[in-house]
Amino acid sequence: MEKLIITVALTGNVPTKEMNPHVPITAEEIAQDVRRCADAGAVLFHVHARDANGRPTLDIERFKENVRRIKEVAPEVIIQLSTGARAGKDWEARANPVRLLPEMASFTTGSNNLPGIVYENSPQFIQFLAQVFKETGVKPEIEVFETGMINNALYLQKKGLIQGPLHFDFVLGAPGSMPGSVKNLLFLSESIPSGSTWSVAGIAKAEIPLATTAIVLGGHVRVGLEDNLTLPDGSPATNPKLVEKVVRIAREVGREIAGPDEARRILNLDPAQKDRILSRID
Amino acid sequence: MEKLIITVALTGNVPTKEMNPHVPITAEEIAQDVRRCADAGAVLFHVHARDANGRPTLDIERFKENVRRIKEVAPEVIIQLSTGARAGKDWEARANPVRLLPEMASFTTGSNNLPGIVYENSPQFIQFLAQVFKETGVKPEIEVFETGMINNALYLQKKGLIQGPLHFDFVLGAPGSMPGSVKNLLFLSESIPSGSTWSVAGIAKAEIPLATTAIVLGGHVRVGLEDNLTLPDGSPATNPKLVEKVVRIAREVGREIAGPDEARRILNLDPAQKDRILSRID
Amino acid sequence: MEKLIITVALTGNVPTKEMNPHVPITAEEIAQDVRRCADAGAVLFHVHARDANGRPTLDIERFKENVRRIKEVAPEVIIQLSTGARAGKDWEARANPVRLLPEMASFTTGSNNLPGIVYENSPQFIQFLAQVFKETGVKPEIEVFETGMINNALYLQKKGLIQGPLHFDFVLGAPGSMPGSVKNLLFLSESIPSGSTWSVAGIAKAEIPLATTAIVLGGHVRVGLEDNLTLPDGSPATNPKLVEKVVRIAREVGREIAGPDEARRILNLDPAQKDRILSRID
Amino acid sequence: MEKLIITVALTGNVPTKEMNPHVPITAEEIAQDVRRCADAGAVLFHVHARDANGRPTLDIERFKENVRRIKEVAPEVIIQLSTGARAGKDWEARANPVRLLPEMASFTTGSNNLPGIVYENSPQFIQFLAQVFKETGVKPEIEVFETGMINNALYLQKKGLIQGPLHFDFVLGAPGSMPGSVKNLLFLSESIPSGSTWSVAGIAKAEIPLATTAIVLGGHVRVGLEDNLTLPDGSPATNPKLVEKVVRIAREVGREIAGPDEARRILNLDPAQKDRILSRID
Ligand SMILES: [Mg+2]
Ligand SMILES: [Mg+2]
Ligand SMILES: [Zn+2]
Ligand SMILES: [Zn+2]
Ligand SMILES: [Zn+2]
Ligand SMILES: [Zn+2]
């Protein structure tokens, strides 16, 4: 079984300091959390941007600032920028993080309900964003909230817009879309082509149980305050505590933790492209 | 195993005479197809409306006209009106077919991609439409394009807006959402509460294979030109031919066909409310 | 999807004329049934032997006689001889049909309960029989009554005793072993290596429903009086009627029927070895 | 989710001190291990007997001695005696541990291959042993090595020989029977009637991964040197260390551990019958 890649979804668009005081909002807070999580065993960081008021933004300058600080304190980690829609629906604005040339960016290949909204990723938008991935050579992480999104990604691959082997992240347990059960996780992991890689992002109470299941199944794990604010014992989570918990569980079952270079190999990331983003953030 | 309920999705919003000359568009054509399909063994009819140009419409008068003619030629069948969005996004207009008090109406409890569009059914809209189902006492058929829609329906049930046992229709194989495989159908049929009823609507090439699987599994079947225009041998389908095929397959495997009253019992429809719609269509 | 291979298990060890007058017992009856079933679309024949009193026997002369008559009336079909244990537990006697060099022979790679008996195929016996398959170059059909038998076969393959791609036959619904549900069939079909071929033999009432499911899934089908004596309508089955039913269902869903040469290609049988058995039956 | 019941299979029939010096063989060693494991969180103990040479035996005096010592040092735990066949095939001898009136006894309801042997539990033997369970009122733990054994148990329940809700133990990963995958465990857990309870006993390397999966799924866990001699880090296991590991994993994911009385409630054991065995061991 491959070593375990631990991803941290640090901030997201929804969490606030009021919900959990440990949510990193500023570039400085985000970078410090990256450093602590990397020390604990995480290698891949899913990054959003917030404005001066802590609200989600697609302002590319904010993304650059986050990346700049992360690269200073943790130059070895893999940065994955978000292309999510809660921060804005403008197609170009959503694509801009990809154009910064991070090693990875998230890509939700379909639409579904989330609390209070339709998370809209129309067939036309998906096609557009896939074209940006193609032009930039950035590796997408396919965010799968529902089964059909797998097939939509395979369709883009078949059309030559994105390249396999694909990496999927199954986002399970968000109200409005696929629930966070072991059955659902196993089902999705069996619905992707062999040779693909996958991780799971369990939402809220589903986070640690599904992470645990992925450790056993040979998948990878995403944790973080974007997805879940509370530890299983009811106390407030922090990003490093979540990573530490995953590491302890992995050790108990004998699964080793991947370092940054091992993660790049597992994910088919070209190490030579590791720092392309530096040219874009000056 | 319960007898088999055969539903026909006669017309839909997308098919045209150019695609298949047998698509029933006018009230007269629709009613004639209902009669032929009922004679062949179908009992439940999923009905859309088209305007004078054959385009999809939410014009309630068109719905009334369709119902009027169907009731004349086939008073025994169960009518299920569509609340789909391709004919218009106005909430009230989409709810109006429910207010005609048909025995059933369709209800998609989530959002997903379909060819060229996001099929939008936001959390707020779902809540609104569930309220209309509650007020009218009309039985919803929960249209499930993705797994999360099951849970969304159960959430509405838990809130007291719709009543169990629920009837689900798994719509599989539409580009943009869950593919039409046996694995997916079995998975969904295992994801609903015991005591629920379900049918499958396989799209295009998936129609007959999934109908066949449902016959074996003890589920029910929806066929019709809304979902599929072509017979497995490549020739143009007609609604009655699709019903006849399902009946022949059911007979081969020893599954009996439900008549209208048996279907009402299986679906928990109150026979006393069978003709409430008559008061609304005059 | 590949064309459908139809296997007939003509006689078995248990059925008698008292149970169903159409069970072929003598070489003549067996050969006539092969001819009729081949005319109806079957290509692979699973053959047992009975003695002069109609009782199961491992007498190799009886096998030869059956083969001789089959080859006279249906030289094109694929013959698969049984190595089952109900007719005797002697290792050499069970292996002797393989040494006749039929194109295929059955091989149950584990033990399970059947009505009134433990169907014993010990690890040591399996190893022995695999060696005979290796020496003769006969292709085994792995008879799977329980999940572990798949793995046992893969273990023999790993040790170089049998050669992939393997062909599995899932025998489901026999009292004492795995029940004949769609879930179980799908599960087993997902538990074999990709590139394998498989068929299903549903026992008794499970025969036609599982055959139907296999048609849809892209697997192959075994029917016959060994497995089931009764048509879904309750009337006595005959081998040709069962084949005809499978053919009709396949046609309804658009699956084509494989002829002998197509079946050999799908099963990786070398056509040059088609008649090796003739040298052994004189 | 119910609290977690931890079972320990302390000794088994196969392990020796040469394989792992920590295997408890004598009554004294067994009792000491029970005490240590109970202190760590285990409540249910699966007990075999060995003779003076450390070889498996069905000698009822040896069982009594084991029970006597366990009851002295750990009167609160649930004792489950083995009826396995490796220690002898005599029907009466296999049934005798049940007649000691332990709270539970193991019951394998079918046959399968294990290393070097056919594990024979014929339909006739199963019927016989079920009758003993009925007469004694002892609760069986249904040991499931293959799917069909579930159905065999349900058949005995239907005939009134054993009483539901049943408790199943899925034994996965033993060479010759069902492999120890998450898929197999989930499949079996979905193949039992709702209202049943279940645990998993993963063999060898499968022990901790499947225990971990069961913790997440809401099942229960059996560990112990009978099933596995080695910790995931490659060092020799001990029974208490295996229990401690399970407890730590459960705590990480927030699953609480059941005490003896909670376990009795979950398993539907009558607390009034807790000490019936004392009358038989004097
Ligand atoms: Mg889904
Ligand atoms: Mg099995
Ligand atoms: Zn995000
Ligand atoms: Zn419709
Ligand atoms: Zn046979
Ligand atoms: Zn044991």
Side-chain angles (χ1 to χ4, degrees), chain A residues 182-183 186 190 208-210 212-213 216-217 232-233 244-245 248-249 251-254, chain D residues 182-183 186 190 208-210 212-213 216-217 232-233 244-245 248-249 251-254:
Chain A
V182 171
K183 182 180 179 69
L186 181 67
E190 291 179 338
I208 298 304
L210 292 187
T212 302
T213 307
V216 172
L217 278 171
D233 67 7
E244 289 159 11
K245 182 177 282 291
R248 285 195 305 271
I249 295 170
R251 294 235 164 96
E252 291 289 357
V253 305
Chain D
V182 171
K183 181 179 180 71
L186 182 67
E190 291 180 338
I208 298 304
L210 292 187
T212 303
T213 308
V216 172
L217 277 171
D233 67 6
E244 288 159 12
K245 181 177 282 291
R248 286 194 304 270
I249 295 170
R251 294 235 164 95
E252 291 289 356
V253 305

Side-chain angles (χ1 to χ4, degrees), chain B residues 116-192:
Chain B
I117 64 162
V118 177
Y119 184 22
E120 284 183 63
N121 298 286
S122 72
Q124 296 84 347
F125 172 70
I126 290 172
Q127 183 102 356
F128 160 79
L129 194 55
Q131 186 65 37
V132 178
F133 276 101
K134 182 179 182 181
E135 289 162 10
T136 55
V138 171
K139 169 139 187 167
E141 173 173 284
I142 308 297
E143 307 295 332
V144 172
F145 290 76
E146 288 288 1
T147 309
M149 297 184 190
I150 293 172
N151 230 48
N152 295 348
L154 298 179
Y155 176 76
L156 297 170
Q157 184 184 355
K158 204 170 131 194
K159 294 189 65 166
L161 292 170
I162 57 177
Q163 269 197 314
L166 296 175
H167 179 63
F168 295 92
D169 182 49
F170 305 128
V171 188
L172 295 178
S177 51
M178 212 165 170
S181 67
V182 171
K183 181 179 181 70
N184 289 354
L185 176 56
L186 181 66
F187 172 75
L188 290 174
S189 75
E190 290 180 338
S191 298
I192 57 177

Side-chain angles (χ1 to χ4, degrees), chain B residues 183 190 212 245 248 252, chain C residues 183 190 245 248 252:
Chain B
K183 181 179 181 70
E190 290 180 338
T212 302
K245 180 176 285 289
R248 286 194 305 268
E252 291 289 357
Chain C
K183 180 179 181 69
E190 290 180 339
K245 180 176 284 288
R248 286 195 304 270
E252 291 288 357

Side-chain angles (χ1 to χ4, degrees), chain A residues 96-107:
Chain A
N96 278 335
V98 186
R99 295 182 176 123
L100 285 187
L101 305 180
E103 291 188 82
M104 299 182 76
S106 62
F107 185 5

